Amino acid sequence: QGRTKLKDEL
Amino acid sequence: MNIFRLTGDLSHLAAIIILLLKIWKTRSCAGISGKSQILFALVFTTRYLDLFSSFISLYNTVMKVIYIMCAYATVYLIYGKFKATYDGNHDTFRVEFLLIPVVLLAVLINHAFAPMEILWTFSIYLESVAILPQLFMISKTGEAETITTHYLFFLGLYRTLYLFNWIWRFYFEGFFDLIAVVAGLVQTILYCDFFYLYITKVLKGKKLSLPA
């Protein structure tokens, strides 16, 4: 789940 | 979103725009490493494949489109429109020495052995070393145009700010990604030598010239 949060970064 | 990530993204955007304007206005890409720009275009292409598959926010989508368009426009200007001014004799860094280890690392060390995940990991690792051809070229020519040093400063500053963004997110959101942080640290460390020269020389109005 932490992974998808990173995906909000450019 | 936090202040470090926002200022980081704006610093990154500033760097990309400064470079594009420098080449466009001076109609010359002298002193610019085309190889680094190709690597950056590759970084954005492999990282933003989810542009059409997942919508995160208007900001996220707009910035990704701008980054990709500017990256390819820059590569086109260097190898297309102004290729007569491209200094190929000094842009000689062997990028295969970067690409092969980065591909191997992305396949071996990632969060999931899935195509999108490996491409994202590849782009993170590649971005951390993509500036090396540019820094190598400056060390070979022994100097850099002042506008080019501003480009490098904002480019280096962006990932430095992202490091603070990750500290912030770890502290306030309990979020942490070792791959991004380690690669970001490597990327920032590569700029340290340049930051020193930029602060001690360029900010004092001198030209950036490396001891040949």
Side-chain angles (χ1 to χ4, degrees):
Chain A
Q1 184 260 341
R3 301 285 316 110
T4 51
K5 281 178 73 160
L6 179 78
K7 289 301 186 285
D8 68 357
E9 292 185 345
L10 290 176
Chain B
M1 178 59 80
N2 60 67
I3 186 63
F4 297 113
R5 187 146 71 91
L6 182 60
T7 46
D9 289 340
L10 294 178
S11 181
H12 194 184
L13 183 63
I16 290 171
I17 302 291
I18 285 171
L19 180 64
L20 204 51
L21 284 182
K22 173 253 185 281
I23 298 175
W24 183 256
K25 293 271 186 212
T26 65
R27 305 182 71 71
S28 162
C29 58
I32 301 299
S33 163
K35 294 186 173 187
S36 277
Q37 297 313 313
I38 289 175
L39 294 179
F40 284 124
L42 188 56
V43 165
F44 294 142
T45 306
T46 51
R47 189 177 305 178
Y48 299 154
L49 291 170
D50 64 350
L51 194 57
F52 307 106
S53 61
S54 64
F55 178 79
I56 291 161
S57 71
L58 188 62
Y59 170 81
N60 190 275
T61 302
V62 167
M63 291 292 273
K64 285 178 178 176
V65 169
I66 292 174
Y67 284 4
I68 288 178
M69 284 170 58
C70 289
Y72 281 100
T74 303
V75 169
Y76 163 70
L77 290 183
I78 293 172
Y79 289 100
K81 198 166 178 59
F82 302 125
K83 73 163 170 264
T85 64
Y86 171 56
D87 182 7
N89 299 321
H90 289 109
D91 190 10
T92 56
F93 193 94
R94 305 284 300 279
V95 290
E96 57 271 31
F97 291 164
L98 297 179
L99 286 169
I100 293 167
V102 161
V103 168
L104 289 177
L105 259 180
V107 170
L108 293 174
I109 305 175
N110 51 59
H111 290 298
F113 199 75
M116 287 296 276
E117 198 57 43
I118 290 187
L119 283 170
W120 176 85
T121 310
F122 167 81
S123 93
I124 290 288
Y125 292 153
L126 182 59
E127 186 188 5
S128 63
V129 293
I131 200 61
L132 281 176
Q134 179 65 67
L135 297 178
F136 178 75
M137 182 173 189
I138 291 176
S139 70
K140 278 198 79 172
T141 55
E143 61 174 10
E145 287 179 42
T146 299
I147 188 72
T148 306
T149 61
H150 296 320
Y151 157 70
L152 286 169
F153 173 71
F154 284 111
L155 197 58
L157 181 64
Y158 127 74
R159 213 61 177 173
T160 308
L161 289 167
Y162 255 67
L163 293 176
F164 292 104
N165 152 63
W166 288 320
I167 294 171
W168 173 288
R169 294 191 82 170
F170 177 69
Y171 186 74
F172 289 107
E173 301 170 32
F175 156 84
F176 181 69
D177 182 288
L178 192 62
I179 287 180
V181 170
V182 170
L185 270 172
V186 166
Q187 184 168 338
T188 300
I189 289 167
L190 289 177
Y191 280 87
C192 287
D193 177 34
F194 166 76
F195 279 148
Y196 173 75
L197 288 170
Y198 183 81
I199 290 163
T200 57
K201 288 198 173 176
V202 178
L203 292 190
K204 291 193 168 55
K206 296 184 196 125
K207 184 163 175 50
L208 187 128
S209 57
L210 301 177

